[in-house]
Amino acid sequence: MEESISPTFNEMTYASGIAGVQGQLASKRRLQKAVKRMLDLGGALSFLIVFAPLLIGVAVLLLVAQGRPVLFKHKRIGRNGEPFECFKFRTMVNEAGRALEQHLAANPAARREWEATQKLKDDPRVTPLGAVMRKLSVDELPQFLNVVMGHMSLVGPRPIVSSEARLYGSHIGAYYSLRPGITGPWQVGGRSNASYDRRVQLDVDYASNWSIARDIGILVRTVPAVLAQDGSC
């Protein structure tokens, strides 16, 4: 007859200690996320109030130069894989999807570039004014509305479209764990100059090791990166 093996006192104490540490870490993580959300909300609201004249001026300029619509809403994937509409100032021609399809059909090299990076260095959809706005990252300013609405964070992984999820492979869970950000490690680490694999690596590393201190550091580094037009497109 086999004897049942029960855990020893030391084993039970060790297991209890591990569970306690894990609980403390989970509690600390929840607190950090709550603080992150408060900073996001305060920062986004402050920006929208202080820079309201700039946002209105850009909107009027776009209306005069390009007509309606002024804002462009693009479906992106957010935290937990939930879709949301990401706001940007419109920098592309109307019917941009059709223009892209025609361009890729006529240019095999451009199709290969698009399939590899989901971007084009010479994008036929972008208007002249839109190209300037992208250089200065002005087109992304309406995303502060997304932050207020809880779709995005000031700092986080790059907001991706549904077709990009497959490019993350087994790492997609790291992306889903946080809200995507207006800025992030990709913004201060090369932006469009980075390969897609490098972007995934940056996003996964951020999601695995983020902290409030790291967010503040990225925010501080974003300003000179934008001013230097570091890999912007």
Side-chain angles (χ1 to χ4, degrees):
M1 181 176 180
E2 295 183 357
E3 295 183 358
S4 61
I5 301 176
S6 59
T8 66
F9 176 78
N10 287 338
E11 289 172 336
M12 294 174 63
T13 302
Y14 176 77
S16 177
I18 291 295
V21 170
Q22 291 176 337
Q24 291 175 359
L25 290 175
S27 178
K28 181 179 179 181
R29 199 69 163 175
R30 286 193 295 269
L31 177 60
Q32 287 181 327
K33 286 187 176 182
V35 173
K36 181 179 176 71
R37 178 58 187 153
M38 287 189 292
L39 292 175
D40 284 342
L41 192 57
L45 286 172
S46 298
F47 180 90
L48 291 171
I49 293 171
V50 172
F51 290 97
L54 171 63
L55 297 172
I56 294 171
V58 171
V60 171
L61 177 61
L62 286 172
L63 185 61
V64 172
Q66 297 181 172
R68 298 176 183 273
V70 171
L71 284 181
F72 174 70
K73 295 184 289 186
H74 198 228
K75 191 78 72 177
R76 298 296 175 109
I77 304 300
R79 189 175 60 169
N80 299 323
E82 297 179 359
F84 70 96
E85 290 187 329
C86 183
F87 301 132
K88 286 190 174 186
F89 283 125
R90 183 168 69 88
T91 60
M92 294 185 178
V93 298
N94 286 320
E95 298 187 1
R98 181 181 300 177
L100 177 64
E101 291 177 3
Q102 294 174 347
H103 181 72
L104 297 182
N107 297 273
R111 177 172 292 278
R112 289 193 295 270
E113 180 186 357
W114 176 260
E115 291 174 349
T117 66
Q118 298 294 298
K119 287 182 178 289
L120 294 175
K121 289 184 177 179
D122 298 315
D123 197 326
R125 300 170 296 172
V126 180
T127 65
L129 176 57
V132 175
M133 292 176 62
R134 288 187 171 202
K135 271 289 186 187
L136 300 175
S137 295
V138 173
D139 61 312
E140 298 174 356
L141 297 183
Q143 289 176 14
F144 283 93
L145 292 171
N146 287 117
V147 176
V148 173
M149 296 168 69
H151 301 144
M152 296 179 65
S153 176
L154 294 178
V155 182
R158 295 170 46 257
I160 63 173
V161 298
S162 57
S163 62
E164 291 179 86
R166 63 180 177 80
L167 300 176
Y168 278 72
S170 61
H171 300 301
I172 191 61
Y175 174 85
Y176 289 157
S177 67
L178 293 170
R179 293 181 178 89
I182 292 179
T183 186
W186 48 274
Q187 179 102 7
V188 298
R191 304 176 75 184
S192 297
N193 292 333
S195 67
Y196 205 96
D197 286 344
R198 176 58 177 162
R199 295 181 206 168
V200 171
Q201 181 183 4
L202 289 170
D203 286 347
V204 171
D205 175 73
Y206 172 79
S208 302
N209 301 289
W210 77 270
S211 66
I212 300 300
R214 186 175 185 182
D215 278 5
I216 294 173
I218 289 174
L219 286 171
V220 171
R221 292 167 59 196
T222 295
V223 176
V226 170
L227 294 177
Q229 301 177 10
D230 184 13
S232 59
C233 68

